[in-house]
Amino acid sequence: MFITLFGPDSYRRSSRLRHIVEEFKKKHPNGALERFDLEEKDSLDRLRNFIQEQSLFAKAKLGIVEHAGETDGAAKVLKSASNNSSTTIIAVSEKKLPKEFAFLGKEPNRAEEFDELAPATAFAFIKKEIDARGLTVTDTDIKNAVAAYNG
């Protein structure tokens, strides 16, 4: 299974990634979890091995892949995981992945987009985050933050 998290809103994208990882750890306490930044040397080979090798101890595997869209050969390596039911791959990107990654959008896979928020939505989102943390911030300060960060 593939989950693609993309869009310019890195805060919400990262929050969603953390949530998925936490759920994976709860469901599979002995599962294998590995991160792959495909801009790093040998990371594509490490990803290929992660997908192909069967773990002796972990029945489920979760791979987090960054910079797949900027790496030659990444689509082919990721596609090789599509028949592996014990492996979940999360592709994280600031932009929507190129068309050679179109297979990531097909069932049972899912994609979640994190666009920049409109000012009113950003205000409500920040207010909710502040309330969840039990902080006290004035509405004026929130409005100033929304204006300063523009989405």
Side-chain angles (χ1 to χ4, degrees), residues 24-39:
F24 175 82
K25 287 178 178 180
K26 283 180 193 172
K27 189 173 181 180
H28 307 285
N30 297 321
L33 172 64
E34 202 162 335
R35 288 182 175 266
F36 305 92
D37 183 342
L38 298 186
E39 288 186 332

Side-chain angles (χ1 to χ4, degrees), residues 3-37:
I3 302 169
T4 306
L5 307 176
F6 68 97
D9 187 339
S10 62
Y11 180 83
R12 291 185 302 129
R13 194 177 64 229
S14 296
S15 294
R16 180 66 176 136
L17 176 61
R18 276 191 305 278
H19 175 75
I20 293 169
V21 169
E22 287 169 8
E23 291 298 313
F24 175 82
K25 287 178 178 180
K26 283 180 193 172
K27 189 173 181 180
H28 307 285
N30 297 321
L33 172 64
E34 202 162 335
R35 288 182 175 266
F36 305 92
D37 183 342

Side-chain angles (χ1 to χ4, degrees), residues 1-139:
M1 176 177 176
F2 295 102
I3 302 169
T4 306
L5 307 176
F6 68 97
D9 187 339
S10 62
Y11 180 83
R12 291 185 302 129
R13 194 177 64 229
S14 296
S15 294
R16 180 66 176 136
L17 176 61
R18 276 191 305 278
H19 175 75
I20 293 169
V21 169
E22 287 169 8
E23 291 298 313
F24 175 82
K25 287 178 178 180
K26 283 180 193 172
K27 189 173 181 180
H28 307 285
N30 297 321
L33 172 64
E34 202 162 335
R35 288 182 175 266
F36 305 92
D37 183 342
L38 298 186
E39 288 186 332
E40 294 177 0
K41 185 179 181 180
D42 299 327
S43 60
L44 192 59
D45 289 332
R46 284 183 36 246
L47 175 61
R48 184 180 291 111
N49 290 338
F50 178 80
I51 290 169
Q52 293 173 349
E53 293 176 357
Q54 193 67 23
S55 175
L56 294 173
F57 305 106
K59 292 185 179 185
K61 299 188 295 184
L62 177 66
I64 301 166
V65 180
E66 296 181 44
H67 300 108
E70 299 95 42
T71 306
D72 290 337
K76 184 178 180 181
V77 170
L78 289 174
K79 192 162 191 153
S80 71
S82 58
N83 295 329
N84 188 337
S85 62
S86 66
T87 302
T88 300
I89 301 290
I90 303 173
V92 182
S93 178
E94 190 172 319
K95 299 176 184 174
K96 188 172 184 176
L97 293 172
K99 62 183 169 186
E100 63 261 26
F101 293 90
F103 65 93
L104 295 177
K106 296 182 179 161
E107 291 290 331
N109 307 321
R110 65 180 195 252
E112 298 178 29
E113 187 171 4
F114 298 91
D115 274 335
E116 291 180 350
L117 298 174
T121 307
F123 179 88
F125 176 76
I126 293 170
K127 183 100 169 127
K128 180 180 170 189
E129 290 290 308
I130 288 169
D131 291 344
R133 288 167 175 73
L135 302 172
T136 304
V137 178
T138 67
D139 286 353

Side-chain angles (χ1 to χ4, degrees), residues 123 136-146:
F123 179 88
T136 304
V137 178
T138 67
D139 286 353
T140 302
D141 288 339
I142 297 172
K143 288 176 187 175
N144 289 338
V146 169

